[in-house]
Amino acid sequence: MTGTAPVPFTADDYKARMDRAARQAADAGLAGLLVAPGPDLVWLTGYAPPAVTERLTLLVLAAGREPVLVVPTLEAPDAEKATGAPALALRDWTDGKDPYALTAALLDAQGRFGVSDNAWALHLLGLQKTLPGTSYVSLTEALPMLRAVKDAAELERLAAAGAAADAAFEEIRNVRFSGRRESEVAADLAALLRRFGHSQVDFTIVASGPNGANPHHEAGDRRIERGDMVVLDFGGLRDGYGSDTSRTVHVGEPTEEERRVHDLVREAQEAGFRAVRPGAACQDVDRAARAVIADAGYGEYFIHRTGHGIGVTTHEPPYMIEGEEQPLVPGMCFSVEPGVYLPGRFGVRIEDIVTVTEEGGRRLNDTERGMVTVD
């Protein structure tokens, strides 16, 4: 099952994104945006350089001006093929020339610019040396919601990615766990994600027994045993958009305590989901899930935020955490993933991707959230 291909994004789609980004930058008091190769550049233009090198590639956006993509001459033919290329101007530079002088001519010499988070320090320092009056702030700080609200086409891709991850879970719950290494089950999960249409697998956490108490445990050589709780957390990119889901299974019949903790996390996850509605603050989702766990006496064992945004990357703003007062808006997509982690014993996490609707929230994952036993 790979599903049908999504409707491709058009040059008009990318133009609208670049225009919106430039307007948001101006509204935030910025002279413009400087976007280096990475997820922001792909989202804004459809262009991913064939290789990220020390040569400067930079998209310059400013309200009221034509978008400009500065690229090395040897990569200009690839840039010209990008779907968003008709909506921008290309300025290329050859080896031996100064790319910072070329870029400086496009910038306000005293401006403050938003810069994509993964821009190289080498390039920012080069620009600052050429234009010492400029200053910079990361996009996550300046425009954290830039990619947060998804349009209908993006939601369709996220839903398809979620359905593919669900299909992978339905298959993995039928394989043998006991006697096998975590890494072997993780390899099965990665293969299933690819079988169901993922082009990129970002993570396949398989955390058995005491390893489950580490939320970011990397699957290793531990052999899974009967009686183990096993946290499964996996995701990646399908048609350019992310999946991320977690379920906790048990090898054989669980103890009363294991079942009780699992039920508690399921209740907390449901509470977090029910807190999703337009106008609620991101922190309200965290508060709702956390209150359930804290009231049951396990608050100190819930050691991470309740959720993170998802889109062209599997982790991005907004974040469901205390102190984040950003209101929820229809089209936002993020995880709701409370957990309880008992050191040296076991952990439980249950995670769905949720999108905000006009009425509340909609899950993009819908596999069994109750206790699932495996062999």
Side-chain angles (χ1 to χ4, degrees), residues 8 10 18 21 33 68 82 140 152 185 193 202 212 215 233 241 248 252 256 266 268 295 300 306 350:
T10 67
M18 287 188 279
L33 300 181
V68 178
T140 289
V185 177
L193 285 170
D202 285 351
D233 184 349
Y241 280 75
T248 303
E256 181 179 340
R266 180 178 58 173
D295 288 349
E300 66 182 293
T306 292
I350 300 172

Side-chain angles (χ1 to χ4, degrees), residues 188-220:
D188 288 344
L189 265 175
L192 286 167
L193 285 170
R194 291 191 178 95
R195 192 215 298 179
F196 292 120
H198 281 64
S199 60
Q200 177 177 312
V201 176
D202 285 351
F203 48 88
T204 52
I205 294 173
V206 178
S208 64
N211 290 339
N214 175 2
H216 283 173
H217 172 72
E218 291 195 11

Side-chain angles (χ1 to χ4, degrees), residues 108-290:
D108 177 348
Q110 303 299 317
R112 181 171 174 79
F113 294 89
V115 181
S116 54
D117 295 1
N118 53 343
W120 285 23
L122 169 73
H123 298 319
L124 283 186
L125 293 170
L127 282 174
Q128 200 159 43
K129 183 177 180 180
T130 304
L131 293 176
T134 55
S135 60
Y136 309 95
V137 60
S138 74
L139 279 189
T140 289
E141 180 180 345
L143 298 178
M145 297 298 110
L146 178 62
R147 304 196 317 253
V149 179
K150 275 65 178 179
D151 61 26
E154 291 181 293
L155 289 173
E156 180 182 339
R157 293 184 184 216
L158 282 161
D166 282 359
F169 176 73
E170 294 296 353
E171 290 284 334
I172 203 69
R173 62 185 287 184
N174 293 318
V175 308
R176 185 166 186 81
F177 279 66
S178 61
R180 302 180 68 210
R181 299 183 190 278
E182 291 174 339
S183 57
E184 293 173 328
V185 177
D188 288 344
L189 265 175
L192 286 167
L193 285 170
R194 291 191 178 95
R195 192 215 298 179
F196 292 120
H198 281 64
S199 60
Q200 177 177 312
V201 176
D202 285 351
F203 48 88
T204 52
I205 294 173
V206 178
S208 64
N211 290 339
N214 175 2
H216 283 173
H217 172 72
E218 291 195 11
D221 290 336
R222 183 182 186 276
R223 289 197 182 274
I224 301 169
E225 303 172 355
R226 291 196 67 79
D228 279 348
M229 197 83 90
V230 185
V231 178
L232 305 173
D233 184 349
F234 51 97
L237 299 182
R238 184 184 191 274
D239 294 317
Y241 280 75
S243 68
D244 185 1
T245 188
S246 300
R247 293 293 185 263
T248 303
V249 301
H250 197 276
V251 186
E253 286 302 312
T255 65
E256 181 179 340
E257 181 191 21
E258 289 169 332
R259 191 176 292 279
R260 184 174 68 251
V261 172
H262 192 281
D263 288 346
L264 174 65
V265 174
R266 180 178 58 173
E267 181 183 348
Q269 206 269 347
E270 178 66 20
F273 169 69
R274 292 192 178 280
V276 176
R277 62 184 183 280
C282 290
Q283 68 181 4
D284 293 339
V285 179
D286 182 82
R287 287 174 174 177
R290 198 168 299 275

Side-chain angles (χ1 to χ4, degrees), residues 244-247 261-276 285-286 288-293 302 304 306-307 334-340 348-354 362-370:
D244 185 1
T245 188
S246 300
R247 293 293 185 263
V261 172
H262 192 281
D263 288 346
L264 174 65
V265 174
R266 180 178 58 173
E267 181 183 348
Q269 206 269 347
E270 178 66 20
F273 169 69
R274 292 192 178 280
V276 176
V285 179
D286 182 82
R290 198 168 299 275
V292 172
I293 292 173
F302 181 8
H304 56 72
T306 292
F334 47 84
S335 66
V336 178
E337 51 175 307
V340 168
V348 177
R349 182 164 63 257
I350 300 172
E351 173 185 15
D352 294 326
I353 297 302
V354 173
R362 176 169 68 94
R363 299 181 194 267
L364 300 187
N365 297 105
D366 202 26
T367 53
E368 176 60 51
R369 294 176 196 90

